[in-house]
Amino acid sequence: VRLPATAEGDLEIDARAADGTGRAARASGSVWVAGPDHRPERGEPQVGVRLDRPLHRIGGTATVYVTPAVPQRPTLVTLQGGKIFAHVVLPPGRGTRAWRIRVAPELSPNATVEAQQWVAPSRLQGASATLAVPDPSKALRVSVTAERESYRPGDTVRGTVRLADAAGRPVRGEVGLAVVDEALFAVRPDTTPDPYRTFWGPRPNAVRSFQSAPEELSGGAFQRANGGLAPLRDRFVDTAHWDARLQTGADGAAAFAFPAPGNLTRWRMTAVGVGDGTRVGRGSGGLRATRPATLRLATPRQAVVGDRWLLVGTIDNRSAQPRTFTATLTDPRGLTLHGSLPRRVAVDAGGQAKVAWEVSVDAWPDGGSASVTGILTDDAAADDPERGDRLRAAFAALPAGVVER
């Protein structure tokens, strides 16, 4: 749409339209119409500072390009950080000037180049740029691996963490290792800061500039059962292992070991290491805790005395062949089991099936906790503990009410 501009000033524009159903829409705006004698305001000249490259290496040379705001006055250029490392006064003149700086180790991880010029007797103007000098020698390569990809709950997980420098050479140092259920990171990502950025990331400029013009002018434990039953899974935790101080040797490696909890999940291993000279790094690895056949009991978070419900068990056949399983409950504590307990069910390869038992809380148990053990066996290999599962599930049991006296 072309609109005529007949006079200087604000031109108000109002647009209206209707859709296929007759509903109206409206929008409005304005533009400034300049007259023939209008002259646009020119902004005040600005001091300009830029660097030849975004990143620089220790031992190299950085070139700073400075453009003065006014050519008749000198420009003070400083290299700052934890202190003033260097400075130069550029004489008056037109055009951009170059200042070459030797990139010393003290400038890592970054420094600030600041240029200041009196553009008027009472007005100081300045600009700055960041000289980024990352130091790869301060970064460690951290790797953490388990001896196997998969473990059974209750197995001893063994693995190795390794520290190496940027060239791959082993480093003697200390490592903190945490093994956490990876499902937790689906709820909240790992927000642990990168140690390299914490110790060797960009730092604020500690130098402050002031001008001397007058103010008016400046304007759970693992247990193994006897016989052919599977190991008991009764320790369910979010963090399987934590070691704040693993010491690596001359080969840059440190071994670790811990018992796998009862969780059937994938664990994330995160290692943060520090070496001589505050060289730091971070690495991660993973492992999975599983069984060929698993039983899960959907116990409530809590129950009240008098509650009666169906306790559902989920059977997963993770093998490549269809199998027939028998699931049962045993050793109830604070819980009453009703009816026939064994449940026999066929499960396809890689499939899943559900069973249920009727249970109730008839009395308030000691300690306010109820629990029950679920046992799963493969009918074709009842004596093989590797083909079944066994877990103990617990939940809080509360009284129906408390007499107030």
Side-chain angles (χ1 to χ4, degrees), residues 30 51 111 138 178 193 268 270 363 403:
S30 65
L51 291 158
K138 301 298 185 181
R268 180 185 298 185
T270 304
V403 177

Side-chain angles (χ1 to χ4, degrees), residues 13-224:
I13 303 173
D14 187 82
R16 303 183 184 186
D19 61 13
T21 64
R23 292 178 299 183
R26 179 181 178 182
S28 63
S30 65
V31 294
W32 171 261
V33 178
D37 298 327
H38 175 74
R39 295 291 183 270
E41 293 184 3
R42 304 183 68 177
E44 184 181 57
Q46 300 292 318
V47 175
V49 180
R50 62 183 178 88
L51 291 158
D52 55 340
R53 295 188 304 276
L55 299 176
H56 293 79
R57 292 184 176 181
I58 295 176
T61 300
T63 303
V64 181
Y65 297 100
V66 180
T67 303
V70 292
Q72 299 85 5
R73 298 177 181 274
T75 305
L76 171 65
V77 187
T78 56
L79 180 62
Q80 310 170 356
K83 62 178 183 179
I84 296 179
F85 300 110
H87 73 279
V88 65
V89 177
L90 301 179
R94 296 183 178 274
T96 299
R97 308 292 184 88
W99 181 33
R100 289 175 175 79
I101 303 170
R102 179 183 175 276
V103 183
E106 65 179 355
L107 302 183
S108 180
N110 62 282
T112 299
V113 180
E114 188 174 85
Q116 298 191 46
Q117 184 185 43
W118 289 103
V119 297
S122 61
R123 189 165 69 255
L124 184 67
Q125 190 185 101
S128 63
T130 299
L131 175 66
V133 189
D135 187 356
S137 69
K138 301 298 185 181
L140 291 180
R141 298 178 183 177
V142 183
S143 65
V144 52
T145 56
E147 291 181 354
R148 305 199 311 266
E149 164 65 19
S150 182
Y151 288 83
R152 302 283 185 265
D155 290 352
T156 296
V157 178
R158 300 185 185 279
T160 303
V161 293
R162 294 186 181 277
L163 297 182
D165 60 16
R169 296 183 293 265
V171 172
R172 188 190 302 272
E174 295 181 1
V175 180
L177 174 66
V179 184
V180 179
D181 189 342
E182 193 156 2
L184 294 179
F185 297 106
V187 179
R188 179 180 179 183
D190 186 358
T191 56
T192 305
D194 178 9
Y196 180 80
R197 291 188 60 83
T198 299
F199 286 95
W200 302 107
R203 298 174 181 174
N205 183 14
V207 176
R208 298 292 179 265
S209 298
F210 300 91
Q211 45 94 359
S212 58
E215 184 68 22
E216 62 271 19
L217 296 179
S218 61
F222 168 75
Q223 302 176 19
R224 180 171 298 277

Side-chain angles (χ1 to χ4, degrees), residues 302-309 334 360-365 368 396-401:
Q302 65 182 33
V304 176
V305 174
D307 285 350
R308 190 179 182 117
W309 72 97
S360 63
V361 176
D362 298 329
W364 189 29
L398 305 179

